Amino acid sequence: MIWNFVQDQVLGMKWLNALIGRLLESVGIDITGRMGGSFQFFLYDVLKISVLLCCLIFLISYIQSYFPPERSKKIMGRFHGIWANCIAALLGTVTPFCSCSSIPLFIGFTSAGLPLGVTFSFLISSPMVDLGSLVLLMSIFCTKVAIVYVLVGLVIAVIGGTMIEKLHLEDQVEAFIRNASAVELDAPTLTKKDRLIYAKDQVTSTFKKVFPYILVGVGIGAIIHNWIPETWIEAVLGSNNPFGVVLATLIGVPMYADIFGTIPVAEALLFKGAQLGTILAFMMGVTTLSLPSMIMLRKAIKPKLLAVFVGICTVGIIILGYLFNAFSFLLI
């Protein structure tokens, strides 16, 4: 009962939804209608995600202050084989929130001489899985779904990085990265006050970058939630369409958002009857394979390696989407 209260009222903020509904009704807005319902959905999700986002960025940034690039490189350098991929994937959970922010770190790690597969494990996990995704998914789905999503994301990162390592594609990294000289820098010693200031600054800068995507994501979610018939969603992304997972993954590729922008869309799709695995495949496709991040990554690696990376991630996401659909009855 205590955990249900935390999930519903603290993380899910259902009290906020009820409060917004009462306020809208008090000014004569019918929240049972399409316009009123869309307005309530938009206000509730924007406020809820913004509050959770700021709290999470502060917490994650404080933790991240203990893992600057130099220290992360040294940590990953101590491990070998699949353990190195596991550590890289785990370190990806305390790094920036979108793939475009992760690529410069990937380039730095690769230039420093870390194994290619290890750096790709980091690159995959960083945008797909983080502490923020765990908490936000718990606020909308349930604890089991959130935990399994994070574990699955880590598995994709470890397997993807390991496969790339076995293919020996180091020559597919652009020469300016392979020939870069690594600079050994000691991680600066920060006081607790410095870390708090750093976390506060990260809240401000990250929120400014992410907030427009939250507005777009919530706007799309409000339209899906109140204007698109359930029969349409079920026909395209429901159990009757065997290609729903593939379609959702491909739809996500040209989009650019992070986990915070995809959450309201996922919430609306679930409400309308889309399958769990299909929704999660869409989220993974958006956060991991967005077109802008692929364009940026192309500057660092050659087309063959880029195609291998996209192929491994796409196949992994699709397979896991179908697995989630098949076993969703165990999670929901």
Side-chain angles (χ1 to χ4, degrees), residues 55-88:
C55 294
L56 289 168
I57 292 174
F58 187 88
L59 174 62
I60 294 171
S61 297
Y62 188 85
I63 296 173
Q64 186 187 343
S65 68
Y66 288 93
F67 298 94
E70 296 80 15
R71 185 175 184 184
S72 298
K73 183 194 74 174
K74 290 181 179 179
I75 292 174
M76 290 190 287
R78 296 172 186 169
F79 296 86
H80 303 281
I82 195 170
W83 290 110
N85 294 93
C86 293
I87 296 300

Side-chain angles (χ1 to χ4, degrees), residues 9 12-21 43-44 47-48 51:
Q9 303 301 332
M13 296 186 191
K14 291 186 176 180
W15 60 269
L16 177 63
N17 192 37
L19 176 61
I20 292 173
L43 290 176
Y44 165 61
L47 290 175
K48 178 186 71 174
V51 170

Side-chain angles (χ1 to χ4, degrees), residues 177-296:
I177 294 177
R178 285 187 284 113
N179 298 331
S181 57
V183 179
E184 296 291 339
L185 295 174
D186 292 328
T189 302
L190 300 177
T191 64
K192 288 186 177 180
K193 182 179 180 180
D194 293 332
R195 298 185 193 281
L196 291 172
I197 293 173
Y198 169 77
K200 178 180 69 69
D201 292 340
Q202 287 295 103
V203 170
T204 303
S205 61
T206 305
F207 185 76
K208 287 180 179 178
K209 291 188 292 184
V210 170
F211 189 64
Y213 300 109
I214 293 177
L215 293 179
V216 173
V218 175
I220 295 173
I223 293 172
I224 295 172
H225 193 276
N226 294 280
W227 294 88
I228 297 181
E230 290 185 22
T231 53
W232 293 12
I233 301 296
E234 290 177 354
V236 177
L237 302 178
S239 58
N240 291 329
N241 184 3
F243 302 104
V245 172
V246 177
L247 182 61
T249 304
L250 296 178
I251 289 175
V253 171
M255 300 178 65
Y256 175 60
D258 52 28
I259 189 69
F260 304 104
T262 59
I263 284 288
V265 180
E267 181 181 14
L269 289 173
L270 183 68
F271 178 81
K272 286 293 186 177
Q275 290 187 288
L276 176 62
T278 305
I279 295 171
L280 296 181
F282 166 77
M283 293 174 61
M284 288 181 175
V286 172
T287 55
T288 310
L289 298 172
S290 66
L291 187 58
S293 64
M294 293 302 100
I295 293 174
M296 183 182 296

